[in-house]
Amino acid sequence: MAEATKKAFVTGHPIKHSRSPRIHGHWLAEHGIDGSYEAIDVAPEAFADFLAGLRANGYAGGNVTIPHKEAAFAGVASRDHAANEIGAVNTLWFEGGTLWGGNTDAHGFAANLDDYAPGWAGNGPAVVLGAGGASRAVIHALKQRGVRDIRIVNRTLARAVELRDRFGAGVSAHGPAATAELLRDAGLLVNTTALGMQGNEGLPADPALLPGHAVVNDIVYVPLETPLLAAARAHGLKTVDGLGMLLNQAVLGFERWFGVRPKVSAELRALIVADLVPKP
Ligand code: ATR
């Protein structure tokens, strides 16, 4: 008997703008795998039932995005180390009959910097702008990669303090007034705030305050070149856009569901970049 088609999904609310089906669809075709990856809109009140029905509905697993990452964290039977550290689950899979939840955002973040700014982890103190869910994944990755001085800056200081307490040694919390002083000797600046996103134009910090060897990364990827990255580039600094984090976080889920570790190729990136440009 032929093996059944392997099914995976991304769920969120809303979900129609997700790029994940294109990414996984590209890899399924590239590897000639008999599989599917669909976007499923699930309202928050229906999420627990959705999780409970995954196995009966024949899914090998899937991705979870806003606003379900915390509910997925609470709803799985087992979690990997990254999910526990970050407090959110973005990837689901089964081991035996057990539903596992993992978090691949930190891997995506670090792999993106490895691709475009090799050696980044040894570049000096890191300034992280923002203290939401994305910031937690970034801080976990920085700690994993041995960055010893991590400076969280957030509009709402209390949220930065919460993360400092969560992640402990080597992590400090600051309000925006401290930014200039914190940037002066930083080797890495990461924006995880919504500032700079399409429709929310603005500069979350002035990259001209950084030393010349600093790397600037925005995890926002629409637009691909955010005002922060444009200003950093104009100042002669090395910049890394956020698309590579999205592409790299997808790798580990695909491997779990379909059994092949896919590559983040120039062709895949071009395919998704073309999709970011609004069609006339
Ligand atoms: P995510 O899960 O994507 O990180 P989030 O939890 O909503 O999203 O966090 C958004 C982050 O962007 C927060 O750090 C938020 O600052 P506050 O904690 O003060 O709300 C930050 N943010 C959003 N809009 C901002 C703005 N206009 N200026 C500065 N920071 C902003």
Side-chain angles (χ1 to χ4, degrees):
M1 204 177 81
E3 227 181 279
T5 303
K6 289 180 182 156
K7 294 189 338 178
F9 61 85
V10 58
T11 181
H13 185 69
I15 198 61
K16 66 174 185 293
H17 297 296
S18 172
R19 270 94 191 177
S20 293
R22 294 213 82 162
I23 298 171
H24 291 280
H26 171 82
W27 285 333
L28 285 170
E30 183 177 49
H31 293 282
I33 293 171
D34 180 15
S36 67
Y37 185 99
E38 58 187 308
I40 308 175
D41 194 315
V42 176
E45 59 274 19
F47 186 73
D49 284 348
F50 175 76
L51 269 193
L54 284 183
R55 195 141 170 93
N57 286 317
Y59 288 105
N63 286 123
V64 177
T65 188
I66 296 164
H68 301 317
K69 289 185 180 187
E70 280 80 17
F73 179 87
V76 295
S78 290
R79 295 186 287 255
D80 74 3
H81 176 67
N84 280 325
E85 288 292 307
I86 297 165
V89 157
N90 79 334
T91 305
L92 301 168
W93 70 93
F94 286 98
E95 282 183 31
T98 302
L99 180 61
W100 275 76
N103 194 306
T104 65
D105 286 334
H107 167 79
F109 166 79
N112 185 31
L113 286 178
D114 286 343
D115 284 346
Y116 291 100
W120 61 273
N123 219 25
V127 174
V128 179
L129 306 173
S135 176
R136 297 203 301 268
V138 167
I139 294 163
H140 174 62
L142 294 174
K143 288 205 78 166
Q144 289 276 98
R145 296 297 290 270
V147 177
R148 285 203 207 98
D149 181 350
I150 302 167
R151 305 161 175 180
I152 311 169
V153 176
N154 199 45
R155 179 177 63 179
T156 310
L157 178 61
R159 291 187 82 192
V161 168
E162 224 174 272
L163 292 202
R164 179 198 67 196
D165 294 347
R166 178 186 186 96
F167 286 99
V171 181
S172 57
H174 312 267
T179 309
E181 181 59 22
L182 297 169
L183 291 180
R184 210 172 38 82
D185 63 340
L188 176 67
L189 172 64
V190 184
N191 177 46
T192 76
T193 77
L195 256 185
M197 247 181 227
Q198 209 166 55
N200 197 359
E201 280 81 11
L203 211 53
D206 180 3
L209 299 167
L210 286 160
H213 70 277
V215 174
V216 180
N217 171 227
D218 205 322
I219 70 160
V220 169
Y221 57 87
V222 184
L224 205 50
E225 183 168 76
T226 61
L228 175 69
L229 294 182
R233 191 166 55 89
H235 199 65
L237 299 175
K238 184 157 197 62
T239 60
V240 181
D241 67 51
L243 183 56
M245 177 173 172
L246 174 75
L247 302 176
N248 278 290
Q249 65 76 29
V251 167
L252 302 181
F254 189 92
E255 185 179 22
R256 290 222 182 260
W257 314 314
F258 303 117
V260 176
R261 189 170 182 121
K263 290 239 170 344
V264 174
S265 63
E267 188 192 352
L268 172 62
R269 184 178 160 91
L271 183 79
I272 304 303
V273 167
D275 205 42
L276 297 179
V277 181
K279 307 260 174 341

Short mmCIF file of all heavy atoms in Angstrom, two decimals, residues 130-134 154-156 159 193-195, ligand 1:
data_model
loop_
_atom_site.label_atom_id
_atom_site.label_comp_id
_atom_site.label_asym_id
_atom_site.label_seq_id
_atom_site.Cartn_x
_atom_site.Cartn_y
_atom_site.Cartn_z
N GLY A 130 12.60 46.39 21.81
CA GLY A 130 11.31 45.72 21.92
C GLY A 130 11.37 44.62 22.97
O GLY A 130 12.44 44.06 23.26
N ALA A 131 10.21 44.32 23.56
CA ALA A 131 10.16 43.34 24.65
C ALA A 131 8.93 42.45 24.52
O ALA A 131 8.35 42.02 25.52
CB ALA A 131 10.19 44.05 25.99
N GLY A 132 8.52 42.14 23.29
CA GLY A 132 7.37 41.26 23.07
C GLY A 132 7.83 39.83 22.81
O GLY A 132 8.93 39.43 23.20
N GLY A 133 6.99 39.07 22.14
CA GLY A 133 7.28 37.66 21.86
C GLY A 133 8.50 37.49 20.98
O GLY A 133 9.33 36.60 21.21
N ALA A 134 8.62 38.32 19.96
CA ALA A 134 9.76 38.20 19.04
C ALA A 134 11.06 38.49 19.78
O ALA A 134 12.09 37.85 19.54
CB ALA A 134 9.58 39.15 17.87
N ASN A 154 12.97 49.17 25.75
CA ASN A 154 11.54 49.14 25.40
C ASN A 154 10.83 50.40 25.86
O ASN A 154 11.16 50.97 26.90
CB ASN A 154 10.86 47.91 25.99
CG ASN A 154 9.56 47.60 25.30
OD1 ASN A 154 9.50 47.63 24.07
ND2 ASN A 154 8.51 47.34 26.06
N ARG A 155 9.87 50.83 25.03
CA ARG A 155 9.04 51.99 25.35
C ARG A 155 8.42 51.82 26.74
O ARG A 155 8.43 52.73 27.55
CB ARG A 155 7.96 52.09 24.26
CG ARG A 155 6.97 53.19 24.43
CD ARG A 155 6.03 53.20 23.25
NE ARG A 155 5.24 51.95 23.16
CZ ARG A 155 4.33 51.70 22.23
NH1 ARG A 155 4.11 52.60 21.28
NH2 ARG A 155 3.66 50.57 22.22
N THR A 156 7.89 50.62 27.00
CA THR A 156 7.34 50.30 28.31
C THR A 156 8.41 49.57 29.11
O THR A 156 8.66 48.37 28.89
CB THR A 156 6.08 49.41 28.16
OG1 THR A 156 5.22 50.02 27.21
CG2 THR A 156 5.35 49.24 29.49
N ARG A 159 8.07 45.95 30.74
CA ARG A 159 8.14 44.72 29.94
C ARG A 159 9.59 44.29 29.72
O ARG A 159 9.91 43.10 29.67
CB ARG A 159 7.44 44.92 28.59
CG ARG A 159 5.93 45.09 28.70
CD ARG A 159 5.30 45.11 27.33
NE ARG A 159 5.08 43.77 26.78
CZ ARG A 159 4.76 43.54 25.51
NH1 ARG A 159 4.65 44.55 24.66
NH2 ARG A 159 4.56 42.32 25.08
N THR A 193 10.60 45.65 17.34
CA THR A 193 9.35 46.40 17.52
C THR A 193 8.61 46.50 16.19
O THR A 193 9.17 46.22 15.13
CB THR A 193 9.60 47.83 18.05
OG1 THR A 193 10.06 48.64 16.97
CG2 THR A 193 10.58 47.85 19.19
N ALA A 194 7.38 46.95 16.29
CA ALA A 194 6.57 47.11 15.08
C ALA A 194 6.94 48.40 14.33
O ALA A 194 6.42 48.63 13.24
CB ALA A 194 5.10 47.14 15.48
N LEU A 195 7.83 49.19 14.89
CA LEU A 195 8.20 50.45 14.24
C LEU A 195 9.05 50.18 13.00
O LEU A 195 10.10 49.54 13.10
CB LEU A 195 9.00 51.33 15.21
CG LEU A 195 8.29 52.49 15.86
CD1 LEU A 195 9.26 53.32 16.68
CD2 LEU A 195 7.62 53.38 14.82
P1 ATR B 1 5.79 40.64 18.98
O1 ATR B 1 5.24 39.36 19.50
O2 ATR B 1 5.79 40.73 17.49
O3 ATR B 1 7.13 40.96 19.55
P2 ATR B 1 4.32 42.44 20.75
O4 ATR B 1 4.35 41.47 21.87
O5 ATR B 1 3.05 43.14 20.46
O6 ATR B 1 4.74 41.77 19.37
O7 ATR B 1 5.48 43.51 21.01
C1 ATR B 1 5.63 44.61 20.20
C2 ATR B 1 6.86 45.42 20.64
O8 ATR B 1 6.93 46.57 19.80
C3 ATR B 1 6.76 45.92 22.05
O9 ATR B 1 8.08 45.96 22.59
C4 ATR B 1 6.20 47.34 21.89
O10 ATR B 1 6.50 48.23 22.92
P3 ATR B 1 5.58 48.29 24.24
O11 ATR B 1 5.93 47.10 25.06
O12 ATR B 1 5.97 49.57 24.88
O13 ATR B 1 4.15 48.29 23.76
C5 ATR B 1 6.92 47.73 20.61
N1 ATR B 1 6.25 48.83 19.88
C6 ATR B 1 5.13 48.76 19.13
N2 ATR B 1 4.84 49.95 18.60
C7 ATR B 1 5.81 50.81 19.01
C8 ATR B 1 6.07 52.20 18.81
N3 ATR B 1 5.27 52.94 18.04
N4 ATR B 1 7.16 52.73 19.39
C9 ATR B 1 7.98 51.98 20.17
N5 ATR B 1 7.78 50.66 20.41
C10 ATR B 1 6.72 50.08 19.83
#
